[in-house]
């Protein structure tokens, strides 16, 4: 098979990117004394602000930014600007709950979200259920990233790297540095990848503008080509108020309560760092990330008004109008996807070891935790690879299902910090029903009456939790006071 110069260039770029990731993950990011313990392997031993900021950014923004989101903007128009508002909800929740999670985690040695919640409600059953729920919704997200990376590799190499080979590539490279370095290695690689894919996004925006005739001309040409995408649609269209409200709540709450984001609260060096990051991250999300994504998605209509596969629109556009930069876009997709895969891997490994194995093996040593964590990385990566071969919906639907599932933990968390009348039985019953209804409403019924399935799940969660809590006994005032006592003087706990 004769390879074109463009494919050869793409393969060279992929090889350089691979070396780049491994050097950072196994060199700069690796620290032997940190990964010598279970908590160090899963949480990194205290992460500095700059790295914590960009590992959070890289974890939040996955292949969906380059593929699913741009595709939705292209298909559904300006309504996706709502992405900016849910990002503000995410950082607001980080500012409210992040310091509390950090303080309680620091005092009590929490590793997983279920550690914190189940400790308050004093329920091993809830810990197991919550672990299962979070694991079940992490897997689809990892599938989405692996599939996105594979599509990008297949496209930029003109089929030389098959879809199947792309899946194994992503799994192998991520698996190497996560297996050895745990959270710290993946956080440093995340930082490099986050910087890389943001730069490539902005470069793409300038190229799209240039190809469309410049900044002023591109908007005029868009008005002439597809004026409808620039207006908020009425209730017969995709972005009606029901969809917007659903999107805001589920993306915002799910974005923060996702276990691989929640755990970054435990991984911080101090609660002050979390407050500062929450303070300026919102502006970065809205303008650093959303602006180029929305610009590209809308303005593809000028030169590609009949694109058949909008989810891969950025690659398609660049392959036709700026092939050299198309290679850079593919590297951006790799960076966005692989950063999220690595974060999820560390998280689901900790869930398996701490929430599942820890219940059966109570006297597990810290070294054993680390070793089991490494085995878990390999096993769970194999599961993710296997499931990635299943043709299950699109990236957008997978991610929506994932965040809707994570949103269901909002009610039990509010029971800890706000509504003291929520009982253990109510929290468990509401959470379980919420997960079931979320799945049915998203996958089977496809957003009944225009509300996303996760909204129906959250509504059922609240109702069931409230009803069951009315007839069961809440956490005693004494137990609640002892649990929340570290929050009385958080500045002393750093």
């Amino acid at each position: 098979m004769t390879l074109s110069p463009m494919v050869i260039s793409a393969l060279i770029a992929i090889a350089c990117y691979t070396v780049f990731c491994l050097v950072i993950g196994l060199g700069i990011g690796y620290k032997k004394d940190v990964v010598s313990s279970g908590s160090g392997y899963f949480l990194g031993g205290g992460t500095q602000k700059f790295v914590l900021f960009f590992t959070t950014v890289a974890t939040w923004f996955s292949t969906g930014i380059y593929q699913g989101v741009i595709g939705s903007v292209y298909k559904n128009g300006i309504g996706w600007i709502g992405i900016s508002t849910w990002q503000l909800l995410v950082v607001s929740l980080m500012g409210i709950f992040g310091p509390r999670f950090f303080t309680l985690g620091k005092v009590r040695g929490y590793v997983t979200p279920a550690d914190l919640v189940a400790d308050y409600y004093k329920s091993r059953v809830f810990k197991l259920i919550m672990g299962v729920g979070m694991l079940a919704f992490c897997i689809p997200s990892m599938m989405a990233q692996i599939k996105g990376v594979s599509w990008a590799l297949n496209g930029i190499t003109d089929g030389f790297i098959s879809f199947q080979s792309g899946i194994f590539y992503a799994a192998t490279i991520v698996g190497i540095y996560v297996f050895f370095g745990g959270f710290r290695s993946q956080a440093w690689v995340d930082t490099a990848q986050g910087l890389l894919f943001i730069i490539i996004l902005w470069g793409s925006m300038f190229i799209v503008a240039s190809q469309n005739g410049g900044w002023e001309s591109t908007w005029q040409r868009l008005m002439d080509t597809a004026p409808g995408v620039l207006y908020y649609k009425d209730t017969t269209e995709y972005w009606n108020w029901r969809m917007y409200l659903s999107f805001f709540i589920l993306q915002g709450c799910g974005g923060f309560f996702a276990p691989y984001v929640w755990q970054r609260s435990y991984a911080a060096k101090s609660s002050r760092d979390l407050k500062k990051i929450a303070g300026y991250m919102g502006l970065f999300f809205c303008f650093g990330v959303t602006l180029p994504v929305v610009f590209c998605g809308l303005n593809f209509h000028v030169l590609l008004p009949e694109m058949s596969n909008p989810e891969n629109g950025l690659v398609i556009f660049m392959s036709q109008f700026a092939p050299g930069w198309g290679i850079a876009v593919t590297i951006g997709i790799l960076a966005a996807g692989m950063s999220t895969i690595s974060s999820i891997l560390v998280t689901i490994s900790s869930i398996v070891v701490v929430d599942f194995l820890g219940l059966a093996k109570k006297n597990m040593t810290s070294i054993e935790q680390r070793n089991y964590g490494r085995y878990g990385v390999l096993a769970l990566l194999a599961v993710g690879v296997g499931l990635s071969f299943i043709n299950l919906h699109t990236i957008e639907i997978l991610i929506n299902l994932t965040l809707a599932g994570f949103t269901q933990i909002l009610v039990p968390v509010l029971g800890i910090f706000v509504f003291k009348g929520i009982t253990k039985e109510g929290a468990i019953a509401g959470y379980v029903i919420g997960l079931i209804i979320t799945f049915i409403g998203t996958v089977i019924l496809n957003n009944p009456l225009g509300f996303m399935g996760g909204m129906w799940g959250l509504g059922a969660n609240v109702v069931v939790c409230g009803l069951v809590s009315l007839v069961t006994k809440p956490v005693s005032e004494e137990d609640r006071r002892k649990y929340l006592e570290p929050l009385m003087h958080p500045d002393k706990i750093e």
Side-chain angles (χ1 to χ4, degrees), residues 236-483:
T236 64
E237 302 290 343
Y238 182 83
W239 280 111
N240 56 66
W241 69 269
R242 299 173 186 82
M243 184 60 70
Y244 181 88
L245 179 64
S246 300
F247 191 83
F248 175 80
I249 293 175
L250 299 178
Q251 296 284 118
C253 294
F256 176 72
F257 290 116
Y260 40 86
V261 175
W262 180 319
Q263 283 183 304
R264 276 151 177 74
S265 298
Y266 298 152
K269 274 194 172 182
S270 70
S271 60
R272 290 190 299 272
D273 284 355
L274 287 168
K275 291 176 183 177
K276 289 178 181 178
I277 288 173
Y280 51 72
M281 194 173 272
L283 286 175
F284 181 85
F285 285 169
C286 291
F287 297 104
V289 180
T290 302
L291 177 60
V293 166
V294 172
F295 181 91
C296 290
L298 294 176
N299 284 283
F300 286 162
H301 282 279
V302 174
L303 294 178
L304 294 173
E306 300 296 334
M307 189 160 25
S308 60
N309 183 18
E311 285 195 336
N312 210 26
L314 194 56
V315 173
I316 293 170
F317 184 93
M318 294 304 167
S319 65
Q320 293 189 37
F321 301 103
W325 192 253
I327 295 174
V329 168
T330 299
I331 297 302
I333 294 173
L334 299 189
M338 292 168 70
S339 61
T340 303
I341 294 169
S342 64
S343 297
I344 293 174
L345 265 181
V346 173
T347 293
I348 59 180
S349 176
S350 70
I351 289 173
V352 169
V353 173
V354 176
D355 295 342
F356 300 161
L357 189 58
L359 290 176
K361 191 176 174 64
K362 294 183 180 180
N363 298 320
M364 196 186 319
T365 66
S366 187
I367 291 292
E368 286 179 323
Q369 266 194 347
R370 190 276 312 274
N371 291 339
Y372 284 127
R374 284 179 166 170
Y375 302 147
V377 163
L378 297 179
L380 291 163
L381 196 56
V383 171
V385 166
L387 292 175
S388 296
F389 289 100
I390 300 174
N391 185 24
L392 178 64
H393 296 277
T394 65
I395 288 177
E396 188 180 348
I397 291 177
L398 286 173
I399 293 176
N400 286 341
L401 176 62
T402 297
L403 297 181
F406 295 148
T407 298
Q408 305 310 312
I409 202 60
L410 171 65
V411 177
V413 168
L414 290 177
I416 298 174
F417 300 107
V418 182
F419 302 114
K420 62 182 180 181
I422 291 179
T423 68
K424 173 182 70 176
E425 294 80 4
I428 294 173
Y431 180 69
V432 171
I433 294 299
L435 291 181
I436 294 171
I437 299 300
T438 292
F439 181 83
I440 293 173
T442 303
V443 177
I444 299 175
L445 300 181
N446 191 25
N447 305 331
L449 301 180
F451 290 101
M452 286 184 173
M455 287 294 287
W456 292 99
L458 185 60
N461 188 342
V462 171
V463 171
V464 171
C465 176
L467 291 175
V468 175
S469 294
L470 287 175
V471 295
T472 51
K473 186 177 180 182
V475 175
S476 71
E477 283 294 334
E478 179 64 17
D479 287 342
R480 181 180 174 83
R481 184 191 64 78
K482 288 180 180 179
Y483 180 88

Side-chain angles (χ1 to χ4, degrees), residues 38-51:
S39 62
Y41 184 79
F42 294 129
L43 299 177
T47 307
Q48 59 182 275
K49 267 190 302 185
F50 183 79
V51 175

